[in-house]
Amino acid sequence: MGKQRKERLFRMKRFDVRHSASANKVGVDGVLVGAWSDVPDRGRILDAGTGCGLIALMVAQRSAEGRILAIETDKAAVDEARVNVAESPWSDRIKVEQADFSLLDDKFDLIVSNPPFFHSGVDASAADSSRMVARHAGSLSPEALIIRGPQLLNPGGILSFIAQSDMEMALLEMATEYGLRLKRLCRVKGHPEAPVKRVLMEFRYPGEMDTETAAEMEESQLIIELEPNVFTPEYTALCRPYYIKIPD
């Protein structure tokens, strides 16, 4: 029994995450999104495709007064996320709902997600790419986040997610088409000699009446390990507030 419990429970410094029911397990991608995203101290935050609730909990730890809606379509994952939230210090600020991202009708200051990676086979530079890609907007994917983001974000709101590195250029072109401004971009490598496998992307939705001059985009690279089980200083600093194995 003891071994089974260890496999089902992932312990962070300030909360625990059960992730046996959710298909979206605790993993490096989710931790990266939760730790890297620009989280406001207050306002409304959406965790799209919350799975076991990991990102919602990480965001709550970083936001002093933010109100978080964590949505998921799978009932078993929703039930599991609700237990994780109920046992956390932020149960009064996180609401978990069984909901479809494509059907939301609300406004947020931040949308954050570790979406399933979906290749639509669409060339974002093609003239009719909007119509073709829009057919896939019902699925939670990087493409769907970009398509629906402007509809769900307040002016000045932020969309932050992780994607496969080979999707970078198509997603950047699509974001421009949908009125999103790239704010930050971070390419992620497992170790110094490895190719870039993931890209963290953060966009700002200026809104129709926005007159703010576009700020300079911040571009960076993050390497996770120098060698097996030896984290880089950058990854250590990013994950220190969460991982028990990284001392304060």
Side-chain angles (χ1 to χ4, degrees), residues 89-145:
W90 313 286
S91 59
D92 60 329
R93 293 196 288 114
I94 305 174
K95 183 178 182 180
V96 181
E97 289 188 355
Q98 185 175 6
D100 189 325
F101 176 71
S102 68
L103 301 178
L104 283 184
D105 183 18
D106 211 337
K107 293 292 184 180
F108 301 92
D109 301 293
L110 168 67
I111 299 173
V112 62
S113 183
N114 173 21
F117 301 142
F118 173 75
H119 286 277
S120 63
V122 173
D123 179 2
S125 64
D128 60 349
S129 63
S130 296
R131 293 192 304 274
M132 294 175 66
V133 176
R135 296 174 186 171
H136 304 292
S139 303
L140 179 59
S141 63
E143 294 95 336
L145 288 166

Side-chain angles (χ1 to χ4, degrees), residues 198-217:
R198 295 287 186 267
V199 58
L200 289 155
M201 311 184 87
E202 192 166 84
F203 298 93
R204 177 177 178 272
Y205 174 58
E208 294 180 2
M209 305 302 292
D210 184 77
T211 58
E212 179 181 319
T213 303
E216 184 176 350
M217 188 269 291

Side-chain angles (χ1 to χ4, degrees), residues 107-248:
K107 293 292 184 180
F108 301 92
D109 301 293
L110 168 67
I111 299 173
V112 62
S113 183
N114 173 21
F117 301 142
F118 173 75
H119 286 277
S120 63
V122 173
D123 179 2
S125 64
D128 60 349
S129 63
S130 296
R131 293 192 304 274
M132 294 175 66
V133 176
R135 296 174 186 171
H136 304 292
S139 303
L140 179 59
S141 63
E143 294 95 336
L145 288 166
I146 289 174
I147 292 168
R148 293 229 63 215
Q151 302 167 29
L152 298 174
L153 286 169
N154 287 318
I158 299 297
L159 169 63
S160 185
F161 62 87
I162 191 167
Q164 291 179 179
S165 61
D166 60 359
M167 302 173 73
E168 179 183 328
M169 292 308 299
L171 292 174
L172 290 176
E173 292 179 16
M174 184 185 296
T176 299
E177 182 180 350
Y178 281 88
L180 294 168
R181 294 179 183 172
L182 182 62
K183 182 183 177 189
R184 292 196 299 154
L185 186 148
C186 179
R187 299 180 181 91
V188 182
K189 302 174 65 172
H191 59 85
E193 286 74 40
V196 174
K197 291 285 188 169
R198 295 287 186 267
V199 58
L200 289 155
M201 311 184 87
E202 192 166 84
F203 298 93
R204 177 177 178 272
Y205 174 58
E208 294 180 2
M209 305 302 292
D210 184 77
T211 58
E212 179 181 319
T213 303
E216 184 176 350
M217 188 269 291
E218 177 186 320
E219 190 171 352
S220 63
Q221 177 176 272
L222 177 67
I223 299 172
I224 295 175
E225 294 180 318
L226 293 172
E227 57 185 74
N229 298 315
V230 179
F231 295 137
T232 63
E234 293 78 13
Y235 185 76
T236 297
L238 186 67
C239 296
R240 178 172 283 117
Y242 304 104
Y243 281 152
I244 293 175
K245 58 188 174 183
I246 299 178
D248 293 329

Side-chain angles (χ1 to χ4, degrees), residues 46-51 68-82 94-104:
L46 173 67
D47 175 13
T50 193
I68 300 152
L69 174 61
I71 64 168
E72 174 62 52
T73 57
D74 181 69
K75 179 62 165 57
V78 168
D79 292 342
E80 188 169 62
R82 284 174 174 163
I94 305 174
K95 183 178 182 180
V96 181
E97 289 188 355
Q98 185 175 6
D100 189 325
F101 176 71
S102 68
L103 301 178
L104 283 184

